[in-house]
Amino acid sequence: MNSRDRLRIAIQKSGRLTEPALGLLKRCGLTFRQSRDKLFCFGEGEPVDLLLVRDDDIPGLIAQSVCDLGIVGRNVLAEFSLARAAEGAHLREWRALGFGRCRLSIAVPQTLDYCGSWQLAGQRIATSYPTLLRQWLDEQGIAVEVVTLAGSVEIAPRLGTADSICDLVQSGATLAANQLQEVDVLLESEAVLAGAETPPTDERGDMLELLLKRLDGVIQLRESCLLWLQTPKDALDAIIRKLPDGAQPTLFPLAGQPDQLMLQALCSGEVSWRRMEEIKRAGASGMFVVPVEKMLA
Ligand code: PRP
Ligand code: ZN
């Protein structure tokens, strides 16, 4: 492992994961000076730099220790890991990041009355994920010809170069536009933070630990909010029963109002209008919900 004193994170240069990845890193307190070629961005606050690359190159860059971490789809990571497992290129998914959700699926022409994977036997299936597809086909016990394409997989059936495809599906718009139907899901994917199996042992390891803690705070808080309300003491039990599941209430006395309490509760997920109305009916007043910006456990 080559020694560096700054952590290097690779993200997709331009694509669906670029903006959310940058936004997430920013929320973790990482900001970058934009360089002219936009390939390497120097981190301004923390000793963390950014590499902007093609998403498919990210696992390889981590395996070669060119960078320490990468934000990449689980699909890309899984394909790499499976294809290169024999060479000992072990990567690890440090965290699932909750954006860029999609599925790696088999899609067949809409005109096919699909009843099961056995119907794929003898077909040619186009994909950019040959190793994941092979593994799935082996599990199903069916023999097909896998046609590996770098991109534009969805047009292969129309061009006659394949009968079906195995590709990423997010909204389904690409499949619909190509008269294909999604029939089997091989992998549920989302953006993940990937890294080498063994974390760096120098200062970069400390920075990684710090980043993971911040990430956990950001991920946990993404949907969290803080609920405040005032309640008569005798309505407290009823109100606590109406709080969202898992909400942790803290109570404060109110000066000059011995029969009243102030309640604060951290809620994971949003608090709906309906819920607030129920809480109000149970006796609460002066209720408000505020977003939580940072949290350190
Ligand atoms: C993926 C995939 C499909 C499309 C599916 O490509 O290969 O073409 O997205 O999304 P949809 O269901 O919302 O239509 P992407 O745009 O991520 O580009 P890439 O495969 O070249 O990385
Ligand atoms: Zn790609």
Side-chain angles (χ1 to χ4, degrees):
M1 191 184 289
N2 46 356
S3 184
R4 266 183 281 111
D5 53 1
R6 299 176 64 86
L7 202 66
R8 217 177 263 170
I9 308 179
I11 68 165
Q12 189 180 32
K13 187 177 167 68
S14 64
R16 295 186 198 210
L17 303 185
T18 310
E19 283 313 314
L22 282 171
L24 182 68
L25 294 175
K26 193 175 171 200
R27 291 191 66 188
C28 290
L30 305 183
T31 52
F32 304 93
R33 200 183 304 154
Q34 202 74 267
S35 71
R36 222 158 300 140
D37 61 357
K38 279 190 71 181
L39 196 77
F40 182 88
C41 300
F42 186 80
E44 294 180 310
E46 309 290 352
V48 181
D49 302 322
L50 210 60
L51 222 53
L52 295 157
V53 297
R54 246 170 49 94
D55 60 344
D56 311 71
D57 293 338
I58 292 177
L61 291 170
I62 299 171
Q64 295 160 36
S65 305
V66 174
C67 56
D68 308 294
L69 298 168
I71 293 180
V72 67
R74 178 179 293 132
N75 48 296
V76 173
L77 183 65
E79 174 70 20
F80 179 89
S81 298
L82 198 58
R84 305 277 294 273
E87 299 163 36
H90 295 302
L91 299 189
R92 129 191 221 159
E93 180 179 315
W94 279 106
R95 292 293 186 275
L97 302 177
F99 61 87
R101 287 187 203 279
C102 60
R103 309 175 289 282
L104 180 66
S105 296
I106 303 282
V108 303
Q110 286 170 357
T111 48
L112 181 71
D113 186 11
Y114 190 82
C115 308
S117 59
W118 53 270
Q119 274 176 301
L120 302 170
Q123 284 198 352
R124 290 161 306 157
I125 305 184
T127 190
S128 306
Y129 300 88
T131 320
L132 289 171
L133 174 58
R134 264 278 162 246
Q135 173 180 261
W136 183 81
L137 291 166
D138 289 348
E139 283 164 14
Q140 306 288 309
I142 37 186
V144 311
E145 185 191 329
V146 174
V147 180
T148 305
L149 300 176
S152 304
V153 171
E154 63 275 5
I155 57 171
R158 265 199 294 165
L159 297 180
T161 49
D163 303 296
S164 303
I165 67 167
C166 168
D167 198 14
L168 296 181
V169 185
Q170 193 178 55
S171 65
T174 303
L175 293 187
N178 290 280
Q179 289 95 50
L180 298 168
Q181 52 173 329
E182 182 180 8
V183 292
D184 284 302
V185 178
L186 279 61
L187 179 78
E188 296 279 352
S189 186
E190 65 186 282
V192 302
L193 180 74
E197 187 65 55
T198 33
T201 47
D202 47 25
E203 301 96 282
R204 288 176 296 163
D206 302 335
M207 191 57 222
L208 170 63
E209 218 171 285
L210 185 110
L211 177 62
L212 290 175
K213 285 206 186 101
R214 289 187 187 179
L215 257 182
D216 288 340
V218 170
I219 294 168
Q220 196 186 337
L221 284 185
R222 192 172 281 146
E223 300 262 283
S224 297
C225 62
L226 201 58
L227 171 70
W228 284 92
L229 56 85
Q230 188 177 325
T231 169
K233 274 185 180 160
D234 55 14
L236 183 61
D237 287 346
I239 284 173
I240 287 181
R241 277 198 296 274
K242 298 282 181 203
L243 294 179
D245 289 341
Q248 295 155 19
T250 311
L251 300 168
F252 304 91
L254 274 166
Q257 292 176 271
D259 59 336
Q260 295 277 321
L261 286 169
M262 195 77 186
L263 181 150
Q264 172 216 279
L266 184 65
C267 309
S268 55
E270 66 157 1
V271 179
S272 66
W273 280 109
R274 191 171 289 261
R275 163 120 29 211
M276 285 177 73
E277 285 148 8
E278 277 180 23
I279 295 172
K280 188 175 163 65
R281 274 197 294 277
S285 61
M287 207 179 330
F288 58 96
V289 175
V290 288
V292 181
E293 200 177 271
K294 290 194 176 78
M295 189 164 87
L296 200 56

